[in-house]
């Protein structure tokens, strides 16, 4: 038998019925090769294939989108077949596209109500055969040579799949299977980063005094790593989907969804030269990867220095609080007026008030710095600019607000101080917030 794309398995189907099916398929230009089972069990297998003219005609009929050598994907037209790049086998349709086209052709063949009993109006031939038990099964056939190539190139010893292998998987299996393998490859690559971090944490875990802080470090790194991994897959997914849009069969809903994810408002403040977009191929402002990387590194270093400065300020406040507590506990101190109610209450809470005001000042200053750094990073899209700014502010405010509590809980391990600090923070921030609202309402 030949190398068909789809196999039909007939079970106990009369000869006249099989010949009728073969005649109906051939009337649509499908090549049919039948072979009976050697076991004489009534099983007959038919291999179906079609030449280029039949597939091209149906592709033009349904508006199959394909990407030409130049320009974006567009509906296929037979008169433009020279503008498409053939694959390694010389076909301009990939194996998955040929299979899909043939599958649609055979499932659109309408049965004639007068040819056999039981045909219903508008019932397809395949549906009638399956319903009446004449067709036991039908399924696509593999190309043995292509499958052997995948087995050689895709294995447990080669978890990182190149772009060429992903493209081959897409041409053979279609977009869903190719996206599955692309995701596994991206996920495996990201796991390497996590494994290095895990190895370091495992080595440090043999120091018992570090276990509390290591637990915190693992939780924070895991949150960052998951966000980073999803962002990497999102970017790769968008690239692949845009590059493979030719397989969308006239479904404008899916196409508009893809375009909505790709088309963004460009920031007017972006500084760059006109060039070709790496995904869409369209002309728009771009900047060099080296310049973007340099700006990102500078921003990261400045943020790190500010984080260190803020941590130093906060630790200084802890030292100031310890001095105030020691001063208040000194019974030999000649200045006793501040130990009389209510001055003693005010004096004891001075460190907390100073701490909260300092936190607010640090947040304000970092907000200004984050805005300047994000502007300096020169993001092309508004979405990227907003995400970068939000990420900076969220990270600093989290560490500035909750870092102290984490330090007290995991490093100092003082539950009493932690409880007092949380209670005082809530009350004092509420008071300061009300004062700010009153001032703002009178402006």
């Amino acid at each position: 038998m030949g190398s068909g794309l789809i196999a039909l398995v007939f079970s106990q189907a009369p000869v006249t019925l099989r010949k009728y099916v073969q005649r109906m398929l051939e009337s649509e230009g499908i090549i049919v090769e039948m072979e009976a089972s050697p076991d004489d069990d009534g099983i007959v297998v038919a291999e179906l294939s079609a030449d280029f003219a039949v597939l091209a005609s149906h592709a033009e009929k349904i508006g199959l989108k394909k990407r030409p050598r130049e320009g974006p994907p567009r509906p296929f037209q037979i008169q433009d077949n020279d503008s498409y790049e053939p694959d390694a086998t010389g076909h301009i349709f990939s194996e998955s596209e040929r299979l899909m086209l043939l599958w649609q052709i055979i499932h659109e063949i309408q049965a004639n109500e007068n040819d056999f009993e039981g045909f219903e109006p508008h019932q397809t031939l395949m549906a009638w055969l399956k319903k009446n038990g004449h067709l036991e099964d039908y399924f696509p056939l593999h190309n043995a040579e292509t499958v052997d190539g995948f087995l050689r190139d895709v294995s447990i010893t080669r978890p990182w799949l190149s772009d060429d292998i992903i493209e081959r998987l897409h041409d053979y299996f279609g977009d869903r299977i190719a996206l599955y393998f692309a995701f596994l490859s991206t996920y495996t690559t990201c796991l390497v980063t996590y494994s290095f971090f895990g190895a370091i944490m495992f080595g440090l875990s043999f120091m018992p005094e570090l276990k509390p802080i290591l637990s915190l470090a693992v939780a924070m790194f895991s949150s960052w790593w998951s966000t980073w991994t999803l962002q990497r897959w999102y970017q790769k997914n968008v690239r692949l989907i845009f590059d493979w849009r030719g397989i969308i069969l006239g479904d404008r809903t899916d196409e508009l969804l893809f375009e909505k994810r790709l088309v963004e408002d460009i920031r007017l403040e972006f500084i760059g030269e006109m060039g070709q977009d790496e995904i869409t191929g369209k002309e728009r402002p771009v900047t060099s990867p080296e310049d973007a990387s340099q700006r990102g590194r500078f921003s990261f270093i400045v943020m790190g220095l500010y984080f260190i400065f803020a941590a130093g300020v906060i630790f200084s406040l802890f030292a100031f609080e310890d001095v105030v507590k020691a001063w208040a506990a000194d019974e030999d101190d000649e200045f006793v007026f501040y130990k009389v109610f209510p001055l003693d209450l005010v004096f004891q809470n001075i460190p907390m008030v100073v701490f909260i005001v300092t936190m607010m000042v640090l947040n304000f200053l970092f907000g200004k710095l984050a805005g300047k750094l994000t502007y300096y990073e020169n993001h092309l899209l508004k979405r990227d600019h907003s995400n970068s700014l939000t990420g900076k502010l969220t990270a600093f405010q989290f560490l500035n607000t909750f870092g102290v509590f984490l330090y007290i809980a995991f490093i100092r391990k003082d539950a009493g101080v932690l409880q007092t600090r949380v209670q005082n923070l809530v009350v004092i921030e509420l008071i300061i917030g009300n004062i700010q609202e009153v001032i703002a309402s009178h402006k």
Side-chain angles (χ1 to χ4, degrees), residues 190 193-194 197 218-230:
C190 294
T193 303
Y194 201 94
F197 176 78
V218 170
M220 297 182 65
F221 183 84
S222 298
S223 300
W224 170 84
W225 178 85
S226 60
T227 304
W228 172 68
T229 301
L230 289 175

Side-chain angles (χ1 to χ4, degrees), residues 284-417:
R284 73 172 185 178
V286 296
T287 186
S288 66
E290 294 78 13
D291 180 68
S293 177
Q294 182 179 1
R295 290 174 181 268
R297 286 196 298 268
F298 176 80
S299 179
F300 181 80
I301 292 173
V302 173
M303 281 181 55
L305 292 176
Y306 189 87
F307 275 48
I308 294 173
F309 165 74
V313 172
I314 291 175
F315 281 117
S316 299
L317 293 177
F318 272 115
F320 171 67
E321 183 178 8
D322 292 338
V323 170
V324 172
K325 286 183 178 180
W327 196 9
D330 186 2
E331 297 180 356
D332 298 331
D333 189 0
E334 56 182 320
F335 300 100
V336 296
F337 66 89
Y338 60 83
K339 297 183 180 181
V340 179
F341 183 84
L343 294 179
D344 60 340
L345 183 61
V346 174
F347 181 78
Q348 292 175 9
N349 284 284
I350 286 179
M352 175 60 67
V353 174
V354 173
F355 175 78
I356 293 177
V357 172
T358 304
M359 284 176 41
M360 295 175 64
V361 172
L362 290 174
N363 275 334
F364 174 78
L365 294 177
F366 185 78
K368 297 293 184 181
L369 177 64
K372 297 290 185 182
L373 290 177
T374 306
Y375 182 86
Y376 174 77
E377 290 170 3
N378 194 33
H379 294 284
L380 173 63
L381 306 179
K382 292 181 180 179
R383 180 197 64 192
D384 294 338
H385 180 89
S386 177
N387 288 344
S388 178
L389 179 60
T390 302
K392 293 182 181 68
L393 295 176
T394 302
F396 181 77
Q397 289 178 4
F398 175 83
L399 293 176
N400 193 34
T401 304
F402 301 104
V404 176
F405 301 144
L406 297 173
Y407 171 77
I408 297 174
F410 291 99
I411 305 301
R412 283 197 167 189
K413 300 179 181 179
D414 193 332
V417 173

